[in-house]
Amino acid sequence: MFRPKSIAVIGASKTPGKIGYEIMDNIITYGFKGELYPINLKETEILGRKVYKSILDVPGEVDFVILSIPAKYIPATFEECGKKGVKSAAIITSGFGEVGDHEAEQKLVEIAVKYNMPFIGPNIFGMVYTPANLNASFGPADVKPGKVAFITQSGALGIALMGWTITNKIGLSSIISIGNKALIGESELMEGFLKDDPNSAAILLYVEGLRDGKNSMRVFKEVGLKKPIIALKSGRSERGAAAAASHTGSLAGSDKIYSAAFKQSGVLRALDAAEAFDWARCITNNPRPKGDNSIIITNGGGVGVMATDACEDEGLELYNDQKKLHDTFMKPEIMPPFGSTKNPIDITGGGGEMAYKLALEEAYKMKEIDSIIVLYCQTATTNPDLLADYIIEIVDKYDQKKPFVFSGIGGEAVEVMIDKLNEHDISAYDLPEKAISSLGALYRWNNFVEKEKKLGKSKPLKLPLNKIQALIDDVRADGRIQMLEHESKEIWKLIGLDVPDFALVQTPEEAVKAAEKIGYPVVMKIVSEDIIHKSDAGGVVVGPKNKEEVKAAFEKIMVNAKAYKADANIRGIFVTYMVPKGTELIVGVSRDPTFGPVIMFGLGGIYVEILKDVVFRMTPVSKDEARTMVDSIKTKALLYGARGEEPRDIDGIVDTIYKISQLVDQVPDIQELDINPLFSFPDSTKAVDARITLIEKK
Ligand code: ACO
């Protein structure tokens, strides 16, 4: 598909404006060198090429076929392609899964598998691969060759963005419209081709939804180690997500989950198309940074401050050895005595292009500096065109060894300058925030690669799966999917969580015996699947602290429970140690239709409802990832010891998240679970509650 020697266009047309004409025209105009066979039932010649009535009539081999005929003719014609031995296809035609005809779409997959004939589509605008001079699309003809691979699920938006990249001088290696993704989606394209394509340095992905989120994450992680993936995902708002689900018929999981999944697999999520391409431009032009020190060179104090703020937002560090900076940059040929070397290096408004050139060269030469940001406000003392030439000269001289971004603010001459730099693959933007956000994206990707390399592959934790399954089977045998507290807590114990001692008792005497063993005070609760709201039923007594109180509590709970629901199936009374109140946390898991089990961690109790200070990850999470979860909540200061309080048991919290994630990953029977609250103390972390729901089996 990417390097065909021969192409057939089924549905080629002589009529300009028709899709079958425009695709033919683009293939020819963009300089495809191989054989091109138009297929049309009634014409003899289209755009100077001999026409065939059927793919079966084509004399030679066909590597790639583009189908642009009405949907009802597609299956039979596609089958003919298979018989012909066509190697790959793009099915442009709409009217399949996206309008509910999944059966017809499935038929295409069957044909493709039968003849080993992979295809993109249906419902696409085609594809472009610039290194092969191939534009097999009905988008714009003059795509600028470059290093960004662009995969798009949306057709119209994809075409629009193609045009936009041309105007904005963004070079593309490929544009692949994947539409309904019947057989080939983003993961297959990345894994099967783009990952190892030397012509693609970054992958930009527009998606509305992923089908198999877990597999996508695996692919993203693997590919992301070699080249960055930038994702634009629509459906951020709830209404947007609903629209996306009906638009391409894919399941757009909750957007928060997508954000977490992207982050976890190293994908850089951009908020809009402009940002995505800004980032792609910077990442493909620049090497990975060798360290964290950045420098800003500017002729304006104001933009310098704006850029400094933006650096802080992005977590970019400005090099701060004031003596070294002063010794290097305080030279009459670079700045007047009232300039500033504090970083931003302010050569001041009078600084001309030569001052920029010298300052830039110094920044390249300084081994302590890892990346360079140049800001320019248009002044009459500079010639923007000459400044561009100097920048190109110096960046080339140092062979783009350090990440470099430029921002120029001004009129038309600055716009021309920005274009000129971009034409030379030097990342130039209008606003400093864009330049810095792009450099920030490069750093984020770099950090992901560094982190992954260090971590290596983590092995699954060994769990007593047979015992866990036996407990689950007992609950199922009982006709339930909701595990009772003592059952859930048994599982907590089996995976090694710290659970306060507990027992299930049937008589007041047993209750006393248990309490004596557990230690006072205790909490006692009714255990019955028929009494969900135990407190409302008078089924909970908190704090009995001796034999008499335990006995009395037992009687009281039983009387209350029977009064509340006479026919309730009472399984006994749960007695547990009454843990003093710790910092209330929550660990929960639910199953997302796209990504599978999603683990949530945050501050528990009322905070979950009010602050919603929770973070999500797809399971399984490593211990390191669990630690980043703890470190990502806004209120983490409460855990690390705010206002003189002792820090909580962070290792215990991390361990709990890790073990729960391993549990749900290894036990597919669990639908969802909660530890709410999980109490954290300075020296321990205790699961004082437990709720597990099993998957409903039909
Ligand atoms: N074999 C060979 N030629 C055939 C066959 C066949 N079995 N059937 C039809 N043709 C010829 C036709 O005669 C016609 O040629 P002509 O112009 O010389 O008469 C040509 O193939 C096309 O057939 P038409 O019946 O004219 O169909 P038309 O071009 O109107 O529509 C199309 C076909 C474009 C595939 C349409 O069905 C379709 O799906 N359009 C939507 C495409 C789309 O939007 N893709 C999605 C993403 S892009 C985005 O959203 C912007």
Side-chain angles (χ1 to χ4, degrees):
M1 189 180 297
F2 289 89
R3 289 200 180 273
K5 292 200 180 68
S6 51
I7 301 178
V9 179
I10 304 184
S13 173
K14 243 188 156 117
T15 314
K18 286 189 73 164
I19 290 180
Y21 173 90
E22 298 303 331
I23 292 177
M24 278 290 294
D25 192 37
N26 269 350
I27 294 175
I28 294 167
T29 317
Y30 208 68
F32 174 66
K33 298 280 183 311
E35 297 294 334
L36 178 60
Y37 307 110
I39 315 285
N40 182 296
L41 297 174
K42 52 184 196 293
E43 303 293 344
T44 52
E45 173 264 306
I46 293 175
L47 285 163
R49 313 285 160 133
K50 177 175 160 42
V51 168
Y52 296 86
K53 283 205 169 5
S54 155
I55 187 78
L56 295 170
D57 300 338
V58 172
E61 281 197 357
V62 180
D63 290 336
F64 183 28
V65 67
I66 296 127
L67 290 106
S68 177
I69 52 175
K72 62 181 174 204
Y73 304 125
I74 289 282
T77 310
F78 193 41
E79 180 95 37
E80 283 182 358
C81 293
K83 285 189 183 141
K84 168 73 186 165
V86 164
K87 296 197 184 103
S88 62
I91 301 179
I92 304 289
T93 312
S94 305
F96 290 87
E98 85 283 6
V99 294
D101 197 348
H102 299 287
E103 216 175 292
E105 197 162 300
Q106 189 47 37
K107 176 91 187 122
L108 302 182
V109 174
E110 282 162 21
I111 295 169
V113 171
K114 181 168 153 196
Y115 294 101
N116 189 19
M117 179 173 55
F119 71 101
I120 49 171
N123 190 26
I124 59 173
F125 63 80
M127 59 83 77
V128 177
Y129 188 55
T130 59
N133 289 341
L134 177 60
N135 183 346
S137 80
F138 62 92
D142 46 353
V143 179
K144 177 176 147 60
K147 288 177 277 188
V148 182
F150 176 36
I151 303 175
T152 174
Q153 194 176 351
S154 163
L157 184 72
I159 289 185
L161 287 176
M162 265 172 93
W164 188 85
T165 59
I166 296 164
T167 316
N168 288 281
K169 313 269 182 309
I170 293 168
L172 301 172
S173 64
S174 47
I175 305 161
I176 308 141
S177 172
I178 50 177
N180 295 3
K181 308 195 258 189
L183 183 70
I184 295 182
E186 57 288 321
S187 301
E188 291 76 18
L189 281 172
M190 285 185 199
E191 204 171 19
F193 181 72
L194 294 173
K195 181 175 80 176
D196 298 317
D197 176 28
N199 299 303
S200 303
I203 300 168
L204 202 154
L205 176 65
Y206 171 85
V207 280
E208 288 162 358
L210 299 171
R211 249 179 231 151
D212 179 352
K214 241 188 161 71
N215 183 53
S216 302
M217 284 180 70
R218 177 189 63 77
V219 174
F220 293 162
K221 230 176 192 175
E222 213 175 283
V223 176
L225 284 175
K226 290 190 119 183
K227 48 191 78 172
I229 302 169
I230 300 165
L232 251 181
K233 159 142 187 343
S234 58
R236 270 189 295 123
S237 62
E238 270 176 29
R239 280 188 72 148
S246 49
H247 179 42
T248 305
S250 64
L251 264 168
S254 145
D255 196 64
K256 261 199 194 125
I257 307 288
Y258 269 97
S259 274
F262 283 147
K263 204 166 171 192
Q264 207 173 329
S265 50
V267 174
L268 307 168
R269 183 174 188 178
L271 283 184
D272 54 47
E275 186 171 76
F277 280 105
D278 280 348
W279 292 358
R281 197 200 285 286
C282 173
I283 292 177
T284 49
N285 285 340
N286 283 301
R288 280 171 46 199
K290 296 211 165 62
D292 291 336
N293 289 324
S294 299
I295 195 165
I296 298 174
I297 299 168
T298 179
N299 66 346
V303 280
V305 176
M306 282 158 70
T308 307
D309 288 347
C311 282
E312 198 172 303
D313 292 344
E314 288 293 330
L316 295 177
E317 280 176 34
L318 293 178
Y319 179 65
N320 199 28
D321 184 332
Q322 292 301 326
K323 175 158 185 334
K324 211 156 225 158
L325 287 168
H326 187 273
D327 291 351
T328 310
F329 292 99
M330 186 47 83
K331 294 176 180 154
E333 60 276 26
I334 292 181
M335 65 175 70
F338 52 86
S340 172
T341 60
K342 282 194 177 140
N343 196 12
I345 305 298
D346 186 354
I347 64 172
T348 76
E353 48 289 331
M354 187 49 84
Y356 265 111
K357 181 177 171 180
L358 296 173
L360 181 56
E361 180 141 28
E362 291 296 347
Y364 267 109
K365 281 197 290 197
M366 261 180 98
K367 63 180 187 325
E368 296 84 357
I369 299 295
D370 302 303
S371 49
I372 305 169
I373 301 158
V374 170
L375 311 175
Y376 166 61
C377 296
Q378 191 176 11
T379 61
T381 56
T382 44
N383 172 345
D385 192 50
L386 192 54
L387 177 54
D389 287 343
Y390 282 164
I391 290 175
I392 292 167
E393 184 190 322
I394 299 297
V395 172
D396 282 353
K397 181 171 169 188
Y398 290 90
D399 210 13
Q400 303 216 353
K401 284 266 159 51
K402 298 179 182 183
F404 174 92
V405 289
F406 172 85
S407 149
I409 306 176
E412 224 166 276
V414 177
E415 270 173 38
V416 173
M417 174 189 186
I418 290 174
D419 280 352
K420 188 169 189 176
L421 291 175
N422 280 322
E423 293 277 11
H424 278 84
D425 294 337
I426 294 173
S427 306
Y429 306 85
D430 49 3
L431 300 176
E433 287 82 359
K434 289 186 190 170
I436 286 158
S437 147
S438 304
L439 187 61
L442 175 63
Y443 266 92
R444 281 205 303 286
W445 174 60
N446 189 52
N447 292 342
F448 161 76
V449 175
E450 296 289 324
K451 193 181 98 190
E452 283 298 310
K453 283 195 172 151
K454 244 187 263 150
L455 285 182
K457 281 213 158 39
S458 63
K459 280 204 209 104
L461 176 69
K462 237 180 142 29
L463 299 175
L465 293 175
N466 289 342
K467 288 183 180 166
I468 294 171
Q469 198 56 48
L471 270 168
I472 289 175
D473 292 346
D474 282 352
V475 174
R476 287 212 187 273
D478 212 22
R480 287 180 289 131
I481 55 165
Q482 193 67 53
M483 297 186 89
L484 296 164
E485 186 172 346
H486 64 285
E487 294 163 340
S488 303
K489 280 192 171 161
E490 279 303 337
I491 292 192
W492 288 177
K493 272 169 63 178
L494 284 172
I495 64 168
L497 300 189
D498 185 349
V499 183
D501 282 348
F502 65 88
L504 181 68
V505 300
Q506 306 299 333
T507 63
E509 293 69 34
E510 278 182 28
V512 168
K513 208 167 146 202
E516 293 279 312
K517 191 162 166 243
I518 289 167
Y520 296 104
V522 292
V523 177
M524 296 169 66
K525 301 180 196 176
I526 190 77
V527 178
S528 166
E529 61 271 35
D530 301 321
I531 304 176
I532 307 291
H533 303 290
K534 301 184 207 76
S535 297
D536 295 353
V540 181
V541 175
V542 177
K545 50 188 181 305
N546 53 44
K547 289 181 192 173
E548 290 67 35
E549 286 183 17
V550 167
K551 262 193 194 157
F554 188 98
E555 308 291 359
K556 187 175 153 198
I557 290 174
M558 282 299 184
V559 170
N560 286 349
K562 285 189 182 130
Y564 182 77
K565 201 159 194 288
D567 60 347
N569 181 22
I570 292 171
R571 290 168 186 268
I573 287 181
F574 180 79
V575 185
T576 185
Y577 181 65
M578 188 184 137
V579 180
K581 207 165 165 17
T583 303
E584 266 186 76
L585 304 170
I586 181 169
V587 172
V589 172
S590 61
R591 254 172 216 272
D592 182 85
T594 310
F595 291 98
V598 181
I599 187 161
M600 178 186 85
F601 164 76
L603 228 53
I606 53 166
Y607 300 106
V608 190
E609 308 301 328
I610 301 170
L611 299 179
K612 296 195 169 49
D613 189 12
V614 288
V615 289
F616 300 92
R617 292 286 188 285
M618 311 311 121
T619 67
V621 294
S622 63
K623 280 207 176 180
D624 291 286
E625 193 71 49
R627 200 168 290 275
T628 66
M629 289 180 78
V630 177
D631 289 344
S632 317
I633 60 167
K634 294 186 208 92
T635 42
K636 70 169 180 190
L638 287 177
L639 303 177
Y640 281 94
R643 294 190 168 254
E645 274 203 30
E646 252 190 281
R648 304 292 105 175
D649 165 34
I650 304 289
D651 287 349
I653 303 171
V654 166
D655 196 57
T656 308
I657 298 172
Y658 169 67
K659 284 176 174 160
I660 286 289
S661 106
Q662 290 287 330
L663 170 71
V664 293
D665 207 59
Q666 295 181 41
V667 182
D669 256 317
I670 297 176
Q671 169 70 26
E672 46 182 47
L673 63 78
D674 264 330
I675 312 178
N676 184 21
L678 172 76
F679 276 162
S680 190
F681 305 94
D683 57 353
S684 63
T685 297
K686 294 190 186 299
V688 298
D689 193 22
R691 191 182 63 85
I692 297 178
T693 310
L694 303 176
I695 280 180
E696 196 140 14
K697 289 203 169 142
K698 304 251 160 56

